[in-house]
Amino acid sequence: MRLTVYLAGHVHSDWRNDFRKLARSHDLPIDFVGPMENHDRSDDIGEEILGEQPNPILKDEAASQINNLRTQVLLNKADVVVALFGTSYKQWNTAMDASAAITLGKPLILIRPGELHHALKELSNKAQVVVQTPEQAIEALAYIFATE
Amino acid sequence: MRLTVYLAGHVHSDWRNDFRKLARSHDLPIDFVGPMENHDRSDDIGEEILGEQPNPILKDEAASQINNLRTQVLLNKADVVVALFGTSYKQWNTAMDASAAITLGKPLILIRPGELHHALKELSNKAQVVVQTPEQAIEALAYIFATE
Amino acid sequence: MRLTVYLAGHVHSDWRNDFRKLARSHDLPIDFVGPMENHDRSDDIGEEILGEQPNPILKDEAASQINNLRTQVLLNKADVVVALFGTSYKQWNTAMDASAAITLGKPLILIRPGELHHALKELSNKAQVVVQTPEQAIEALAYIFATE
Amino acid sequence: MRLTVYLAGHVHSDWRNDFRKLARSHDLPIDFVGPMENHDRSDDIGEEILGEQPNPILKDEAASQINNLRTQVLLNKADVVVALFGTSYKQWNTAMDASAAITLGKPLILIRPGELHHALKELSNKAQVVVQTPEQAIEALAYIFATE
Amino acid sequence: MRLTVYLAGHVHSDWRNDFRKLARSHDLPIDFVGPMENHDRSDDIGEEILGEQPNPILKDEAASQINNLRTQVLLNKADVVVALFGTSYKQWNTAMDASAAITLGKPLILIRPGELHHALKELSNKAQVVVQTPEQAIEALAYIFATE
Amino acid sequence: MRLTVYLAGHVHSDWRNDFRKLARSHDLPIDFVGPMENHDRSDDIGEEILGEQPNPILKDEAASQINNLRTQVLLNKADVVVALFGTSYKQWNTAMDASAAITLGKPLILIRPGELHHALKELSNKAQVVVQTPEQAIEALAYIFATE
Amino acid sequence: MRLTVYLAGHVHSDWRNDFRKLARSHDLPIDFVGPMENHDRSDDIGEEILGEQPNPILKDEAASQINNLRTQVLLNKADVVVALFGTSYKQWNTAMDASAAITLGKPLILIRPGELHHALKELSNKAQVVVQTPEQAIEALAYIFATE
Amino acid sequence: MRLTVYLAGHVHSDWRNDFRKLARSHDLPIDFVGPMENHDRSDDIGEEILGEQPNPILKDEAASQINNLRTQVLLNKADVVVALFGTSYKQWNTAMDASAAITLGKPLILIRPGELHHALKELSNKAQVVVQTPEQAIEALAYIFATE
């Protein structure tokens, strides 16, 4: 049995690479999917495909329709969603993906520093698992496969 | 025909009162529902019902289970969800409610100042209607009932 | 028992008025809902609420988000959908509403002149009832309530 | 990860062959499915299986039940639906397939020339991605798999 | 609280009248719905609305599309389905309605004489309640409302 | 707005009467539904309707089909489910009703003494609200309606 | 792409063997599933597993719970359901399986001799394809895979 | 065709090992999944991942969120659920898993000693198959694959 895990969260650092490495070091039979991790391309993909747009809002709208296409397809494939929140950025698309997963009946593992708990309290309460570090999330995923 | 509209968003100002007044002045047959608008009570409701909790995270967890009970019941009743984003606060529970509505097949009207568009671009793309002011959201709701 | 019936189709003539009159003359306990029947307002509603748009495509996009809000809310309320096709206009939104109804498990009554049958053959095959005139659609609706 | 993509649209030209070639030239791990592309056989399949029918409407009804069988099975298998609209033909079955996909929670990529936008504005608003050329649709599909 | 109960079964006798009388004598707050009970009209409704058909199979097809419209609308409204099987007639539409109810998550009360049990054993096993007489079905319905 | 609340739990004491009284004293606009509260009748209802059964297992099977009919109909009507666990009895049907509610997307309020927490830990984790006393459950319900 | 096809219908003859042979001769990539085709074992499976039962109704009930387990698992796996009706036997379980498939959104191919049309008219109207012979059903299945 | 079967029930003995051995001796193409079978680890997994908790209830809550993650993922994968009840332990999580399976439309095979029937009568009535021994459950599973 293999699982597909969607990694929701910001695309401003390398956290998904670290996460995947950690999973490999545990030999977990998991296929990771997620958003485009190249932040500039993610912002520019609308104009890349549809051509220059008249203003920044329309550039954003063009990009978000392509980014949401990717997310919808891959979220539909996922067995579990991991969402990482950090102390920077608005991260409303992370909250959107996390809530979509919950509503679709797919379990959510939420990773966040303790200081964010108050602002995330309603989402934490809906998540299946709440942890503070990627390592803990990997351990929770590993437990799904553990036989002893 | 009456509609039930859930008003998602922060509970730090009187915006829902203004919104309801505006709806009444248009004679719209709408029943508004939403979260507890008394912010302090919303934060304290866990301890109010379950007693004092050992630390702030557990106080939050106690509160969020009661707040989410209210939201889940009322969101299930709603025909439309209006979500207002402002420039203050994290507003991740607003994003959570908005995304839950979309995933449940309930149309979302998103109100946000233009300067927030970039951070909200994925959620805006999923919303049925995106506007800048509560007045515009009321006009969109009024249009559902308009006969000419 | 009352039923809610959504009247899908073009908004270029008075056919819905005739349809409702006919239903009243049969004393049918039906609440009719449907799109904005004032065609100009339907085309202009985006700019009416959101202000002038830079080009016709964006004017259309602004209008369609408000028109689809209305359709989604009212289609969710409907027990039956009646879709009328005529020999003029593209009527792709009529086909869209008709197919959405079928997919949601709501029965579709399709009204079309015989000469359109070839182009409508796949949609006709999915419809619960296919008739040639509004009078026949009313008779089918009346039969739901008939006791003898 | 492989995806299944349903190609909705008219069957009067070779556009699907071009589309598949383009996908192959991008090495996309996609299995394409769609309607019978031999237009004459698609029109005649009812009589081919069920024997001669008494009139053209019944010939059409016989054909559409077999064509819809194929569409329903393959649409259920699809992860994404691409729908191409051109300036000829009624294309109501294309609109029907596109709307069914949306209602089932499968993302739609709509390809249409700009001049059709007004007639397609409601369907465009519901589509996840709207483009003008098959090349753009392929780029959007490629982006789902892109790692940088 | 009122319930809506769909009475599936043949339309060759007065059994629904007796059933409704029995319910009234128990003062049950139930609205009964079901198929057209005038058997001749039920068979002829296709031609009544759509005009004379070229052969008996097409007459049947015309009738069944109108009868199924009625059934689909009313079954969607029902809280409980009662299906009565007797020793005459094929009653495949009764089995179809009963199975549709079960699949939709609506409880089925099956009434059948003991001698039919072997042929009905799979459907009986899926039914929520299996009884031999209409009186027993009424008692089961009454129990839903009973307070002691 | 009124809510329907299903009261799951054992039928060996008067706890539902106390619960309803408490709700009335808070003037809550709630309609309570639930299982037959007369325990003997609940055990005997199978034989009451279907006649004497050959052995205790068949007597139980006859009773449970009627009790489950009642539960399925009323649970389908409920907006919220309250489940009370005590220190006596197996209460597996309470766990069954509670889990059905959660799976159907209806929020669960779980009432249990603290000493039962270990055995109820998985169900508690799935419940929306966990409290120790009926009074606390009433306060949680009251909060849904509270305006300040 | 392979499809799974459930073959519903009576188990009193070899028709499924003929059907599978025909499919093989067309090289169709189809996995066929269906009920136990050994009629005696199908009737006796309850007692085979659960031991002797006190009377024929309980023997039937024991058998049907095991037969329905098989059907539910395999129907959940199926992409298409083929249901064959003949002139003998009650065949209510065939109608039950056919209706369950339709309600689950799985297309139904109905095979029946023309003389049964009247009794099957409501089910025929709900089926996606209605044919008279197994050969025609195979041709319809083959058409799903045909490329020209 | 392979099936995935979830084995719900207590984790205080080796019954799943025996069950899997029995399945292997029948050469059944079944992948078994289920909860962590090491009871101590199952109780301690919350603290193992999240660190020491301030009290036993919070230790349980931490463990149950990880255990429920595993159950939700694996139950979503399962085609059939087998639930074993014994005479020891509360087993409310077994009842929870069993009821979740039923509500999700996955067939349940319930194994219980006859003396537990009264307390399990409502759950037994909802189960697709009720047996007394693991051997009988294996025979029921084997019958799904049997060809004669």
Side-chain angles (χ1 to χ4, degrees), chain G residues 3-63:
Chain G
L3 294 180
T4 300
V5 175
Y6 187 93
L7 298 178
H10 68 78
V11 293
H12 294 271
S13 82
D14 243 17
W15 73 270
R16 283 182 189 78
N17 265 346
D18 299 340
F19 201 85
R20 285 181 291 240
K21 262 186 227 160
L22 208 51
R24 269 198 303 276
S25 75
H26 282 70
D27 273 328
L28 299 182
I30 293 179
D31 300 309
F32 289 103
V33 294
M36 164 53 62
E37 296 172 41
N38 176 335
H39 179 248
D40 286 346
R41 197 174 179 214
S42 162
D43 270 4
D44 296 340
I45 185 65
E47 294 198 329
E48 179 186 323
I49 294 181
L50 296 165
E52 203 178 343
Q53 302 295 312
N55 63 47
I57 286 194
L58 290 170
K59 179 188 168 181
D60 278 351
E61 171 58 21

Side-chain angles (χ1 to χ4, degrees), chain B residues 36 38-46 48 67, chain F residues 143 146 148:
Chain B
M36 163 55 61
N38 177 335
H39 179 247
D40 287 345
R41 198 175 178 212
S42 162
D43 270 5
D44 297 340
I45 186 65
E48 180 186 323
N67 285 320
Chain F
Y143 183 72
E148 60 183 356

